Amino acid sequence: MSEKNVSHTKWMKRAIFLASLGKNTTSPNPKVGAVILDKHGTLISEGFHHKAGMPHAELMAFNNLKKDAKEGSMYVNLEPCCHHGKTPPCVDKVISSGIKKVYISIEDPDKRVSGKGIKQLKEAGIKVHLGLCKKEALDLNKAFIHRNITKKAFGVLKWAMSIDGRIALKNGKSKWITNEESRLLVHSFRAEFDAIIIGGNTLRRDNPLLTTRGSKNPEPLRVIFTKSLDLPSKSNLWDCNKAKTLIIYDSSTANEDNLKRIPKSVEVEKVSSDNPVLISKILAKRGCNKVLWECGPRLATAAIKYNCIQEIITFIAPKILGGENSMNPLSDFEFKEMNEIIKLHDSQFSLIGNDICVKSSFKN
Ligand SMILES: NC(=O)c1ccc[n+]([C@@H]2O[C@H](COP(=O)([O-])OP(=O)(O)OC[C@H]3O[C@@H](n4cnc5c(N)ncnc54)[C@H](OP(=O)(O)O)[C@@H]3O)[C@@H](O)[C@H]2O)c1
């Protein structure tokens, strides 16, 4: 790599780093960072998108300018927008600034606008270089890209299990399998998500809180998927002061009389079947890029079967629950041959005290 390319990569990596600072707050928008150099190649400004409704990264960088950007260059990890949304088009601002070169990692995944921002920049006589640090940029915004392309939320399935692969005793008791450090990590890790999903049975058995314990404001939306609507009249999830709760129920099987038990502060939406894709679609439509499935084996298996899951995070504790009838993290996929089994990819391992955390991806 030539010295020039190294410095282009350095500036784009800086833009990607800045973008990552908006990690938990930009949904439904992407994470974007921008760097501006003057005509001599000196850094004169930078910025990132903080939150939906607030200025885009390019505008933040222009607002922070220390010197004239005329004949300078910009590094931005996503194609600048050319449409009027909550904020004016960034392309207009880039053109009027007199910037001569724009380095962009990836095009906007939204097919309606993809390439149009680049076209406008080129038509204004600006040199555009596309593809710098493409892999890192795709990875940073994988959930946003997934939602835009599939119209479904990017799903991560999480479970905690013993070393013999069990998530609960036969009687349903599961507190606690992993150590305190792992459980605290789960609370803060929830902040990466726009929604957390469980099934009705986990609600009945565990009565969870499903919050980040304050590391995100607003807290992720808590979602319960139920076929029966047989939900308790008292539950931690009915207190919506700290976090909002949404019940999604299958109207083909649910007893709607049970809705009387649910407080008005809880939102309710009905769907026509128990297909978990319907949840992914509803949440994507609400602007959720990334959702966490913290459900038990039955809903988790259905979510995998219907491609609602893109990553799995497993916490494994050095404990033995034993017993043929203690609970598995997943139920039956009815595989008959070993070539039918699901192979996961890109696994990463970390140690949390005595527990192991494994993160793997599905190849969709
Ligand atoms: N260790 C861990 O990481 C962990 C995590 C989560 C859960 N768990 C344990 O898992 C147990 C519950 O397991 P579970 O499998 O019954 O979990 P679940 O998360 O409650 O999922 C099953 C429930 O989801 C609803 N559902 C909606 N559509 C469905 C579909 N297509 N397929 C299946 N279910 C659908 C049904 O609710 P309705 O019955 O209301 O209709 C069903 O009973 C609990 O004992 C809990 O402690 C452990």
Side-chain angles (χ1 to χ4, degrees):
M1 204 185 283
S2 74
E3 210 171 296
K4 230 175 173 180
N5 280 343
V6 171
S7 69
H8 290 319
T9 306
K10 179 183 108 178
W11 291 122
M12 189 57 91
K13 284 198 169 163
R14 176 73 191 160
I16 290 174
F17 165 75
L18 291 166
S20 74
L21 298 177
K23 191 172 160 195
N24 300 335
T25 48
T26 62
S27 276
N29 290 351
K31 293 166 243 179
V32 188
V35 168
I36 303 176
L37 308 185
D38 70 6
K39 59 181 175 186
H40 306 295
T42 307
L43 176 69
I44 52 169
S45 192
E46 52 185 33
F48 69 95
H49 182 48
H50 289 238
K51 207 174 175 183
M54 287 179 69
H56 289 180
E58 300 89 323
L59 201 60
M60 290 297 281
F62 283 118
N63 291 345
N64 295 336
L65 264 180
K66 294 188 190 84
K67 270 172 80 183
D68 194 355
K70 211 168 174 197
E71 293 182 32
S73 41
M74 173 178 266
Y75 296 80
V76 59
N77 58 302
L78 187 73
E79 176 178 7
C81 70
C82 58
H83 56 277
H84 282 270
K86 284 182 183 158
T87 50
C90 293
V91 162
D92 294 356
K93 189 76 190 163
V94 178
I95 294 169
S96 65
S97 73
I99 277 181
K100 280 281 162 258
K101 282 185 205 156
V102 179
Y103 296 84
I104 300 167
S105 301
I106 52 173
E107 285 186 0
D108 190 318
D110 187 336
K111 291 285 167 250
R112 292 165 303 172
V113 291
S114 182
K116 289 192 181 144
I118 292 174
K119 189 165 170 260
Q120 284 186 21
L121 292 174
K122 284 184 176 167
E123 281 169 359
I126 295 175
K127 273 195 179 163
V128 179
H129 182 291
L130 179 67
L132 193 60
C133 302
K134 182 176 173 184
K135 194 169 170 285
E136 293 91 330
L138 285 171
D139 191 51
L140 181 74
N141 273 312
K142 61 187 170 192
F144 168 79
I145 295 166
H146 178 87
R147 180 172 69 83
N148 267 278
I149 293 173
T150 65
K151 306 297 171 212
K152 292 186 281 180
F154 184 97
V156 178
L157 172 63
K158 178 238 126 196
W159 69 74
M161 67 180 189
S162 59
I163 207 148
D164 57 336
R166 308 297 180 163
I167 63 160
L169 292 173
K170 186 161 86 175
N171 59 14
K173 290 189 179 167
S174 62
K175 286 179 183 162
W176 298 106
I177 293 175
T178 48
N179 64 36
E180 199 181 353
E181 227 178 317
S182 295
R183 298 199 306 274
L184 285 173
L185 188 73
V186 168
H187 297 158
S188 55
F189 145 88
R190 282 180 184 145
E192 286 179 30
F193 296 88
D194 303 310
I196 301 170
I197 304 157
I198 57 165
N201 206 24
T202 296
L203 176 79
R204 289 188 290 270
R205 287 197 178 183
D206 296 354
N207 191 19
L209 271 172
L210 302 181
T211 66
T212 67
R213 309 295 195 271
S215 31
K216 186 174 192 178
N217 185 16
E219 288 276 351
L221 177 69
R222 303 174 297 187
V223 182
I224 304 139
F225 194 26
T226 171
K227 297 203 273 192
S228 63
L229 260 179
D230 179 14
L231 304 176
S233 50
K234 282 196 178 141
S235 158
N236 285 327
L237 299 196
W238 301 165
D239 176 0
C240 298
N241 290 318
K242 288 205 176 96
K244 286 187 183 164
T245 301
L246 167 68
I247 296 172
I248 301 179
Y249 71 92
D250 173 1
S251 61
S252 70
T253 48
N255 177 358
E256 290 180 326
D257 282 346
N258 292 336
L259 283 171
K260 288 181 204 139
R261 288 192 230 146
I262 313 297
K264 293 278 174 283
S265 53
V266 174
E267 244 188 289
V268 178
E269 203 160 320
K270 62 177 165 184
V271 286
S272 55
S273 82
D274 68 354
N275 189 331
V277 165
L278 299 170
I279 312 187
S280 292
K281 286 187 176 166
I282 286 176
L283 295 178
K285 221 171 178 180
R286 284 174 166 247
C288 296
N289 286 337
K290 198 173 173 188
V291 299
L292 181 63
W293 296 73
E294 284 204 49
C295 44
R298 289 182 297 141
L299 184 51
T301 305
I304 291 176
K305 281 183 181 167
Y306 285 97
N307 290 331
C308 299
I309 307 296
Q310 281 59 56
E311 282 177 7
I312 291 188
I313 299 202
T314 322
F315 288 83
I316 307 166
K319 290 176 188 161
I320 293 172
L321 269 62
E324 281 176 26
N325 296 323
S326 9
M327 208 174 283
N328 287 305
L330 295 169
S331 46
D332 205 349
F333 286 92
E334 322 239 337
F335 297 137
K336 302 276 184 295
E337 301 293 338
M338 281 307 285
N339 61 10
E340 295 171 43
I341 64 169
I342 300 165
K343 295 184 191 83
L344 300 174
H345 303 266
D346 307 322
S347 294
Q348 294 168 26
F349 302 83
S350 50
L351 262 185
I352 300 129
N354 283 337
D355 294 345
I356 303 168
C357 177
V358 185
K359 184 174 159 186
S360 307
S361 304
F362 282 80
K363 220 165 219 151
N364 283 320

